[in-house]
Amino acid sequence: GMDRKARGLNNYLNGVAAEDCVERHYCDAGAKILKRRWRGKSGEVDLIFQLGTMFIFVEVKKAENFAAAAFRLSERQMQRIARAAEEFCASTPLGIDADIRIDVALVNDTSESQIIENVSL
């Protein structure tokens, strides 16, 4: 089989392909990409977009199928993203007045994506 390093690289490339595919979806919808893999004190956010006065924070999950991908998202992870989102907003001119939306983008093996908007915590 693949050695661990090759597998790690392969996972990374899969992740990047998944993010590209998700990014296209948002850009087609008129959003502007602000950050890829933004790292704050509270954690990392895969993709951050701006749509009007709203910042959209997207967690990209890769899995064989959507159900498996959805299942991978823990509550702790969502809270971490929410904290990172607040931290990011505080660093922008809009500050904490910014509208925030947290989405989860599920990407399956054939690079189809399904986006769950406004994931509630």
Side-chain angles (χ1 to χ4, degrees), residues 30-88:
K32 195 173 87 210
I33 177 87
L34 297 181
K35 302 282 179 191
R36 293 180 187 87
R37 305 200 169 200
W38 180 80
R39 184 172 273 297
K41 285 193 287 286
S42 11
E44 191 179 275
V45 180
D46 292 331
L47 298 166
I48 303 177
F49 297 94
Q50 185 167 3
L51 187 58
T53 58
M54 180 167 53
F55 292 122
I56 306 172
F57 299 84
V58 185
E59 175 76 10
V60 180
K61 284 280 165 228
K62 186 93 172 66
E64 301 80 73
N65 57 58
F66 294 135
F71 190 67
R72 278 197 186 153
L73 205 75
S74 71
E75 202 175 324
R76 212 173 74 234
Q77 228 170 352
M78 292 308 300
Q79 286 164 347
R80 176 179 55 67
I81 297 163
R83 277 199 305 275
E86 283 168 20
E87 190 186 331
F88 176 81

